[in-house]
Amino acid sequence: MSISRRGFLKGLMASSASALIGPSLLTATKAFAANPIGDTWKISGSHWGAFRAKIHAGVVEKIEPFGFDKNPTDMLKGIRGIIYSSSRVRYPMVRYAWYRDYLKADPATRGDNRFIRVTWEQALDLFYVELERIQNEYGPWALYAGHTGWRQTGQVHSCNNHMQRAVGMHGYFVKKVGDYSTGAGQTIMPYVLGSTEVYAQGTSWPLILDNSKVIVLWATDLHKNLQVGWNCETHESYAYLDQLKAKIDAGEIRVISVDPVVTKSQQKLGCEHQYINPQTDVPMMLAMAYTLYQDKKHDQAFLDTYTLGFDKFLPYLTGEGEGGDGIAKTPEWAEQICGVPAKTIRELAHLFADNRTQLIFGWGIQRQQHGEQPYWMGAVLASMLGQIGLPGGGISYAHHYSSIGVPDSGAAGPGSFPLNPDDNKKRIHQNQDFNGYSSTIPVARWVDCLLEPGKKVAYNGKTVTLPEFKMMVFSGNNPWHHHQDRNRMKRAFEAVQTVVSIDFTWTATCRFADIVLPACTQFERNDLDLYGSYSARGVLAMHKLVDPLFQSRTDFDIMADLCDRFGQKKAYLRGMGEMEWLESLYEECRTSNGDKYPMPPFAEFWQKGSVIFNQQQTFVRHAAFREDPELNPLGTPSGFIEIFSRKIASFNYDNCPGHPVWMEKSERSHGGPGSKKHPFWLQSCHPDQRLHSQMCDSTEYRETYAVKGREPVYINPKDAKKHGIRDGDLVRVYNDRGQLVAGARVSDFYPQGVVRIYEGAWYGPIGPEIGSLDTYGDPNTLTQDIGTSKLAQATSANTCLVSIEKFVDKAPKVTAFGGPTEVK
Ligand SMILES: Nc1nc2c(c(=O)[nH]1)N[C@H]1C(S)=C(S)[C@@H](COP(=O)(O)OP(=O)(O)OC[C@H]3O[C@@H](n4cnc5c(=O)[nH]c(N)nc54)[C@H](O)[C@@H]3O)O[C@H]1N2
Ligand SMILES: Nc1nc2c(c(=O)[nH]1)N[C@H]1C(S)=C(S)[C@@H](COP(=O)(O)OP(=O)(O)OC[C@H]3O[C@@H](n4cnc5c(=O)[nH]c(N)nc54)[C@H](O)[C@@H]3O)O[C@H]1N2
Ligand SMILES: [Mo]
């Protein structure tokens, strides 16, 4: 390290007392300890975008959007409330019954929220002792530390990396594959289009705006979901959406939203709405394909040149010949299922074929049983239209996500703190014997491991043997929000011995854990991040706003001290502290960007707060393949678009055959299975005013949308009237799996038979018993925990029926917020 760099770092560290003494000593006594630095403005960034914060007397007083961001999200108003939430994890805590009775603790006490306070020394010792015990008594198969999630932004402090690296330096553990976002999509699409598609750059908005005549928003709500990004979000997509609106108004582009509800995007764009019954998109697409084929509107030349297996799919489509099921997938057939008039289906098929049409799919549609099918069928439809690889045509699976479609700079972003140990040979426990269990599981099946250890499960052409977890560690994710079916989870958690949760806010995951460690928020540490996930528009400094509150510490420090207990601290840190990591990640990025993307030296960057790359390049998805499919084959087994997949067919799965098909759901509204008993489809979409469960604990902001202190449930006026429910009433939403209290929001934007409760509403049961009423309104109290199919085994959260009634009893107190009950 050069002298000037070291000198700079020293100066910087000295200005922050906590960096020298360690945050726990400083903040042990007073929560919002005054930091005598007067008013300052600092720059930081988040999933919600970049901002400037005014700090007065050691308190974050005001948040203002960053100048570059022309479309900041309303959610910036919730940030202060995250830092100063009444739900903050203040001290290391241990579950009372577990502390007292340890492995003999009555399983029924889990979730009673009674905890005792311990010191950091005790907490980390306990954590370490448990890791030792599990590795010695069982083996790596008994430890699950593979979960990931929406940890706050920043590359140095990426908390999941910290946890997995630290636990990994101690020994091996079970990992996961896939995610809740796109589990079905990312598994099926490599067989069909050769990449996950969901995490791939899409055709640039300027090219769509210039070339598309028709844009189909198929189950996607751009305006709602582009408010957040995986890296610090720039919100540049919104400028293109404004241009799109102007083109709609001028009659230059037709935009059609295919969705059961009137989305925020439809409202903002003023575009057309095509209502469809929930979970029935495949019949509609099949009928469009049928129409194209019957009317000779399909692009046979495209099918011949770029695809394989249309001939094998055709008997299913027409119902005739070998492989046909005798049912022609006509518009009349589809209308009975999807509720879209046959005439409309025909008109739309012709409209798409006669015009440059860009199909844009969201992800909620694959978070349902057989969620692989609408994506595959979408690709087949797009192939028949023959526009894949043209600007403004073809198919996209991700324009609602993290600025996909914004022309990107092409620059490299900063790397992150490493996820894995540097040297596997130095792990304390070398045992890699998983005792016949699988060492990796499809993520949404982790609760099954607790309930049915040893069970063999088909997954993506393989057989997974569910491991028997005795200990689980969660950091940077909130499984007691994100997983389905709370009461099933309660049963499952009776089998586990030790759960560690590391978080800054007292989520339901903390409530159901044994050891809870208080991390600090991203606003209490120094970091840096890529600005604009897929657009790579720059690099952003994340200045620490205030010192860690209460006894919270950075994940960096927590895990370093865990490693200290088994002699690995130095190897873990590679001998570097927070600011040294920051500088080294920045400098690596600067080196790889070279002269093409000039970046100032670190000290200058840190002081200025950001670097913006001005280059922007446009892109057409699948254009190279279209240009020359031999030279630029897709990543599918054949290199072509696979309408029929021999590989998938070879798996012989009843619920995912060799070409896309319509399969009835286990629960479906509008006359489908189960709808006589529980008539409403519950869609648990992504929240407009939260990032999942994050910010739900931001009290003032929550009150801007809560109804009588509860999460809203959106319902159609006629349905509300039928059940004697008025806007603002408390209601009970229930099915055979669970029950919750929510606040009714009566709205014309929702069709009859559909209700919405946003995911991420905090779980607050009255008590730990199975079936206990949830007092705030977590939709996963009601959702179904089944895999999409044997192919992806992904979440099917959106296959869920419920009933709803006015809540007539005395309203229970909301128990979701405010932390644990401390036992002295
Ligand atoms: N019913 C239903 N369920 C769903 C979905 C749905 O559509 N419907 N969507 C699914 C999807 S797509 C997703 S991505 C998941 C999201 O599931 P998660 O990623 O688990 O959701 P978050 O609420 O973002 O949880 C992140 C947690 O990490 C904590 N955290 C953040 N930063 C840090 C940090 O720096 N250090 C530590 N130690 N902790 C930190 C936060 O406080 C929070 O508790 O939910 C899934 N669940
Ligand atoms: N504000 C905000 N933005 C976010 C997030 C957040 O928490 N808050 N989370 C981010 C993350 S992690 C993810 S994974 C993405 C999620 O992105 P998506 O999964 O695409 O988002 P959702 O809002 O769940 O669903 C989008 C639309 O699908 C529709 N839909 C659901 N089922 C069906 C169906 O069967 N047929 C049809 N035609 N339409 C259907 C819904 O009505 C909704 O309008 O969002 C990201 N953006
Ligand atoms: Mo997600």
Side-chain angles (χ1 to χ4, degrees):
M1 197 188 288
S2 73
I3 293 173
S4 63
R5 250 173 85 185
R6 196 184 289 160
F8 170 74
L9 284 172
K10 246 173 99 188
L12 204 92
M13 305 270 274
S15 69
S16 155
S18 74
L20 295 177
I21 310 172
S24 54
L25 292 176
L26 262 186
T27 48
T29 45
K30 240 182 145 203
F32 308 122
N35 195 348
I37 46 170
D39 280 11
T40 41
W41 283 90
K42 297 193 178 184
I43 286 180
S44 190
S46 66
H47 293 301
W48 301 281
F51 59 84
R52 298 177 341 118
K54 184 177 152 196
I55 322 295
H56 176 76
V59 175
V60 179
E61 217 174 55
K62 204 171 174 187
I63 302 280
E64 284 190 354
F66 186 56
F68 185 85
D69 191 338
K70 301 293 179 251
N71 290 280
T73 163
D74 186 63
M75 283 185 265
L76 287 182
K77 292 180 192 145
I79 284 183
R80 279 190 74 256
I82 292 178
I83 308 173
Y84 302 113
S85 169
S86 63
S87 301
R88 282 287 300 252
V89 184
R90 295 157 190 241
Y91 317 107
M93 304 292 278
V94 173
R95 191 163 73 81
Y96 176 62
W98 188 87
Y99 188 82
R100 200 187 51 194
D101 305 329
Y102 191 43
L103 301 180
K104 297 201 178 68
D106 177 0
T109 57
R110 191 179 284 287
D112 68 8
N113 211 25
R114 285 162 28 107
F115 280 77
I116 66 163
R117 194 173 149 180
V118 296
T119 64
W120 265 112
E121 289 297 308
Q122 290 169 319
L124 288 174
D125 285 350
L126 281 170
F127 188 176
Y128 167 55
V129 166
E130 287 301 285
L131 289 175
E132 270 296 309
R133 182 177 68 81
I134 296 296
Q135 294 287 358
N136 290 326
E137 280 182 24
Y138 307 103
W141 50 269
L143 176 61
Y144 183 51
H147 238 48
T148 56
W150 275 73
R151 92 288 185 280
Q152 294 190 310
T153 55
Q155 298 304 320
V156 174
H157 289 284
S158 181
C159 67
N160 190 257
N161 291 21
H162 281 278
M163 187 276 279
Q164 290 199 6
R165 177 173 165 88
V167 173
M169 289 177 81
H170 181 264
Y172 290 89
F173 56 83
V174 176
K175 296 192 168 173
K176 62 92 185 179
V177 34
D179 56 40
Y180 284 75
S181 309
T182 65
Q186 65 177 262
T187 309
I188 186 92
M189 293 323 289
Y191 293 105
V192 180
L193 287 173
S195 91
T196 69
E197 295 300 302
V198 291
Y199 297 133
Q201 182 59 285
T203 299
S204 307
W205 278 115
L207 297 174
I208 294 179
L209 289 163
D210 282 350
N211 295 285
S212 300
K213 289 285 166 274
V214 177
I215 297 175
V216 188
L217 303 181
W218 209 308
T220 187
D221 198 347
L222 309 166
H223 283 80
K224 173 168 72 63
N225 288 347
L226 285 163
Q227 292 177 92
V228 306
W230 176 247
N231 294 103
C232 180
E233 183 50 49
T234 63
H235 300 120
E236 286 178 282
S237 313
Y238 288 89
Y240 299 111
L241 294 177
D242 287 346
Q243 292 176 40
L244 180 59
K245 179 169 173 37
K247 295 217 170 213
I248 295 171
D249 291 347
E252 291 166 27
I253 300 184
R254 277 183 74 177
V255 176
I256 303 163
S257 167
V258 182
D259 204 300
V261 311
V262 176
T263 63
K264 184 175 182 181
S265 306
Q266 191 197 328
Q267 294 164 49
K268 294 274 178 192
L269 292 170
C271 67
E272 300 164 49
H273 183 205
Q274 181 51 58
Y275 167 81
I276 182 166
N277 285 338
Q279 305 188 86
T280 63
D281 302 82
V282 170
M284 176 168 170
M285 285 188 255
L286 281 168
M288 294 181 74
Y290 184 90
T291 305
L292 293 175
Y293 184 70
Q294 288 295 314
D295 298 354
K296 304 214 162 31
K297 282 283 184 180
H298 66 297
D299 188 335
Q300 189 64 49
F302 185 90
L303 291 174
D304 292 343
T305 316
Y306 298 101
T307 76
L308 280 185
F310 186 65
D311 53 327
K312 288 217 168 67
F313 170 69
L314 207 48
Y316 175 74
L317 189 65
T318 58
E320 290 163 10
E322 200 192 328
D325 59 2
I327 301 169
K329 308 302 176 300
T330 62
E332 284 70 20
W333 165 82
E335 176 177 347
Q336 298 308 312
I337 305 168
C338 70
V340 181
K343 184 166 163 277
T344 309
I345 295 177
R346 286 201 175 85
E347 279 167 12
L348 288 174
H350 281 251
L351 178 75
F352 296 1
D354 293 343
N355 292 281
R356 183 65 60 85
T357 299
Q358 177 74 53
L359 304 175
I360 300 182
F361 281 74
W363 295 347
I365 197 179
Q366 49 89 63
R367 239 176 273 117
Q368 58 175 241
Q369 194 186 17
H370 317 133
E372 297 87 357
Q373 301 304 317
Y375 271 30
W376 198 349
M377 191 53 216
V380 172
L381 184 60
S383 297
M384 292 177 76
L385 293 169
Q387 302 180 18
I388 291 177
L390 293 177
I395 188 157
S396 148
Y397 295 91
H399 271 83
H400 67 289
Y401 185 65
S402 290
S403 288
I404 281 179
V406 171
D408 62 278
S409 70
S416 62
F417 188 83
L419 173 69
N420 294 311
D422 296 336
D423 185 352
N424 281 332
K425 292 198 197 72
K426 294 202 175 128
R427 295 192 197 226
I428 301 298
H429 291 267
Q430 284 292 318
N431 182 10
Q432 288 190 66
D433 181 0
F434 281 76
N435 202 25
Y437 297 117
S438 298
S439 58
T440 304
I441 55 161
V443 66
R445 304 275 55 87
W446 67 279
V447 172
D448 295 5
C449 297
L450 297 170
L451 287 167
E452 296 180 274
K455 185 177 172 184
K456 296 202 183 302
V457 177
Y459 164 68
N460 201 11
K462 298 180 272 287
T463 301
V464 170
T465 306
L466 302 180
E468 186 173 355
F469 302 149
K470 303 287 180 192
M471 177 172 179
M472 302 191 286
V473 187
F474 297 108
S475 178
N477 52 72
N478 181 6
W480 283 81
H481 122 64
H482 71 224
H483 194 69
Q484 286 54 63
D485 197 343
R486 290 290 163 263
N487 289 309
R488 187 170 186 266
M489 285 179 77
K490 279 186 183 173
R491 273 198 299 281
F493 267 56
E494 289 179 359
V496 69
Q497 296 179 348
T498 305
V499 181
V500 182
S501 171
I502 306 142
D503 208 314
F504 51 80
T505 187
W506 196 270
T507 61
T509 300
C510 298
R511 178 188 295 249
F512 283 88
D514 300 297
I515 303 172
V516 179
L517 304 178
C520 63
T521 67
Q522 63 164 89
F523 313 109
E524 298 154 354
R525 59 199 190 197
N526 291 303
D527 216 323
L528 88 172
D529 201 17
L530 177 65
Y531 191 30
S533 316
Y534 283 82
S535 59
R537 287 292 265 139
V539 179
L540 194 82
M542 297 168 62
H543 292 155
K544 180 202 239 188
L545 307 182
V546 291
D547 287 332
L549 297 190
F550 306 102
Q551 282 190 2
S552 68
R553 308 180 65 193
T554 62
D555 295 278
F556 189 107
D557 287 340
I558 296 170
M559 291 301 155
D561 279 358
L562 178 69
C563 289
D564 204 18
R565 281 160 168 76
F566 44 87
Q568 295 271 43
K569 181 169 180 167
K570 200 164 162 227
Y572 175 79
L573 293 173
R574 291 186 192 158
M576 296 193 288
E578 179 191 69
M579 288 311 292
E580 287 155 312
W581 270 100
L582 236 169
E583 177 165 359
S584 101
L585 294 181
Y586 179 86
E587 289 298 341
E588 271 171 32
C589 175
R590 184 173 164 224
T591 306
S592 50
N593 278 326
D595 295 339
K596 187 157 180 223
Y597 303 98
M599 294 167 70
F602 177 71
E604 198 182 310
F605 155 76
W606 189 249
Q607 209 248 328
K608 197 167 156 261
S610 64
V611 189
I612 301 289
F613 305 123
N614 286 314
Q615 300 89 319
Q616 281 186 288
Q617 57 199 19
T618 53
F619 171 78
V620 179
R621 180 113 206 107
H622 303 128
F625 168 67
R626 187 179 185 107
E627 203 172 288
D628 192 334
E630 305 288 338
L631 267 183
N632 310 306
L634 298 178
T636 55
S638 64
F640 296 101
I641 298 171
E642 298 207 0
I643 292 175
F644 179 89
S645 164
R646 282 167 62 170
K647 188 94 196 162
I648 293 178
S650 76
F651 301 155
N652 270 315
Y653 292 157
D654 52 351
N655 50 16
C656 192
H659 59 71
V661 294
W662 159 245
M663 284 170 279
E664 186 53 277
K665 313 295 162 203
S666 63
E667 295 182 15
R668 190 169 66 76
S669 57
H670 300 82
S675 59
K676 284 214 170 71
K677 184 165 188 199
H678 298 299
F680 292 95
W681 178 57
L682 172 70
Q683 55 161 219
S684 44
C685 291
H686 285 232
D688 188 31
Q689 288 181 283
R690 275 196 304 266
L691 172 60
H692 314 296
S693 74
Q694 295 188 60
M695 210 171 256
C696 196
D697 55 342
S698 185
T699 315
E700 264 176 56
Y701 192 62
R702 182 176 71 246
E703 273 157 15
T704 64
Y705 60 83
V707 178
K708 293 208 173 89
R710 323 287 157 150
E711 183 70 9
V713 54
Y714 296 89
I715 182 169
N716 171 274
K718 288 197 187 108
D719 283 337
K721 201 167 167 212
K722 201 161 93 192
H723 292 267
I725 295 164
R726 277 184 308 202
D727 190 75
D729 280 350
L730 287 190
V731 295
R732 191 171 82 98
V733 188
Y734 63 96
N735 59 21
D736 301 344
R737 290 178 290 270
Q739 50 168 341
L740 59 81
V741 191
R745 274 280 164 263
V746 178
S747 161
D748 273 325
F749 295 146
Y750 295 82
Q752 284 187 266
V754 171
V755 294
R756 174 183 291 191
I757 305 178
Y758 285 121
E759 56 110 342
W762 277 31
Y763 182 56
I766 292 183
E769 329 66 68
I770 287 171
S772 172
L773 179 73
D774 171 25
T775 60
Y776 178 70
D778 169 8
N780 281 322
T781 306
L782 304 165
T783 50
Q784 187 176 194
D785 187 9
I786 54 166
T788 49
S789 81
K790 290 172 185 162
L791 190 84
Q793 292 290 2
T795 178
S796 302
N798 280 328
T799 299
C800 176
L801 293 183
V802 299
S803 292
I804 183 164
E805 65 187 20
K806 193 168 159 155
F807 196 85
V808 283
D809 304 337
K810 188 170 170 282
K813 204 175 134 272
V814 174
T815 68
F817 309 103
T821 307
E822 192 177 331
V823 179
K824 299 270 182 195

